[in-house]
Amino acid sequence: MDRSTSMYVDGTYYEELGAGEAVLLLHGGGGTVESWAAQAPALASQYRVLIPERRGHGRTADVDGPVSMEIFAADTAAFIEAVGLGPAHVIGWSDGGKVGMNLALSRPELVRKLVLIGTELTHAGGTAANQALLEPAGLEFLAGAFRPQYDALSPDGPAHFDVVFAKWVQMWKTVPDIEPATLTALPMPVLLIQGDDDCVRFEHTAEVARAIPDAQVAVVPGTSHGLPLEKPDLVNRLLMDFLADPQSPKFLPLGDLNP
């Protein structure tokens, strides 16, 4: 990824590209800045793109104590204020989408538009395969996938991986559901994107979309939970279209979103 700036603010590592309205990219669980290598340059052609790494991820040190989506959202709000962004477009992938939704609910004045990519908001909203990732074999797979990048980047050193991974597992198993009924007062437009072979049940996405006053939905064909990497050009086009103002008018709306 073409990096124009990399720096820390209040202990949080982030990278920045481009200029214009602020777009905040929130990586998934175990992810890093590199997760957005296919999106950041495209978005930076029109926007100021900032990619922070959450505590215990990538180049940002861990902090004593447990973690939660609410804590990560509070950290993200503090980051937005420390950098002086004001309201930003927030795009979250997987766990990053959960952090983004918690931020939108707790600090809506900081979120101009919100995008969730491959993000279920309730345990029941995830597919059976997604739920199986919290079983021993699934957790072994996740630890093996996340450890090499952690070992290479973490300022806490490779020996600390087991500590942060245990925190993530506890968070994933106990994360509170965000019920669709709590989304009816969201003031910002929201785009829900997922692959057609993703971790989110289609029925759940439809329920969430119907609850949000201003929602759009995109299911990307032939993709999985890795859709931003699998079909980056299509995902980037969806993101750019959604972030643009004004939105293209609908010619013949006959669907059942927000009836």
Side-chain angles (χ1 to χ4, degrees):
M1 183 167 60
D2 180 22
R3 299 169 185 166
S4 59
T5 307
S6 59
M7 63 187 76
Y8 287 85
V9 60
D10 295 338
T12 296
Y13 176 87
Y14 73 102
E15 296 186 3
E16 181 175 337
L17 302 83
E21 293 180 359
V23 173
L24 199 64
L25 299 179
L26 304 180
H27 59 73
T32 65
V33 162
E34 285 77 13
S35 303
W36 296 107
Q39 280 66 54
L43 291 168
S45 67
Q46 295 186 33
Y47 297 95
R48 178 187 178 194
V49 178
L50 298 98
I51 319 170
E53 292 179 335
R54 293 190 291 279
R55 62 170 72 181
H57 290 73
R59 303 154 185 87
T60 299
D62 189 25
V63 177
D64 288 342
V67 294
S68 68
M69 298 302 174
E70 295 87 351
I71 289 172
F72 286 148
D75 287 349
T76 304
F79 172 80
I80 291 172
E81 293 175 333
V83 179
L85 294 185
H89 301 300
V90 175
I91 301 173
W93 180 4
S94 193
D95 273 7
K98 296 173 187 176
V99 175
M101 181 57 80
N102 275 280
L103 177 67
L105 289 168
S106 62
R107 297 291 304 276
E109 76 280 5
L110 297 180
V111 182
R112 182 171 297 181
K113 291 184 179 181
L114 175 65
V115 181
L116 308 186
I117 302 176
T119 303
E120 82 286 359
L121 297 181
T122 67
H123 290 274
T127 63
N130 183 56
Q131 295 166 5
L133 288 174
L134 296 181
E135 300 298 326
L139 292 174
E140 183 178 357
F141 165 78
L142 291 175
F146 295 148
R147 185 185 294 272
Q149 189 162 242
Y150 183 92
D151 289 354
L153 298 176
S154 175
D156 296 316
H160 195 67
F161 176 79
D162 290 339
V163 175
V164 296
F165 189 71
K167 293 183 183 184
W168 298 346
V169 172
Q170 178 65 19
M171 174 184 66
W172 292 330
K173 289 184 174 181
T174 61
V175 60
D177 287 344
I178 299 177
E179 296 294 347
T182 66
L183 307 178
T184 56
L186 280 177
M188 74 288 295
V190 179
L191 171 62
L192 309 173
I193 305 179
Q194 68 177 81
D196 60 0
D197 192 13
D198 208 326
C199 67
V200 191
R201 295 170 55 246
F202 295 133
E203 297 85 353
H204 175 69
T205 297
E207 185 180 9
V208 169
R210 292 188 186 107
I212 296 170
D214 187 355
Q216 299 180 28
V217 177
V219 178
V220 181
T223 61
S224 70
H225 195 52
L227 68 160
L229 301 176
E230 295 162 353
K231 291 195 176 180
D233 292 342
L234 181 52
V235 170
N236 293 348
R237 174 65 187 273
L238 291 170
L239 295 175
M240 296 292 278
D241 282 355
F242 177 69
L243 296 182
D245 283 318
Q247 293 281 287
S248 299
K250 296 179 180 179
F251 173 66
L252 194 63
L254 298 173
D256 63 355
L257 283 182
N258 308 313

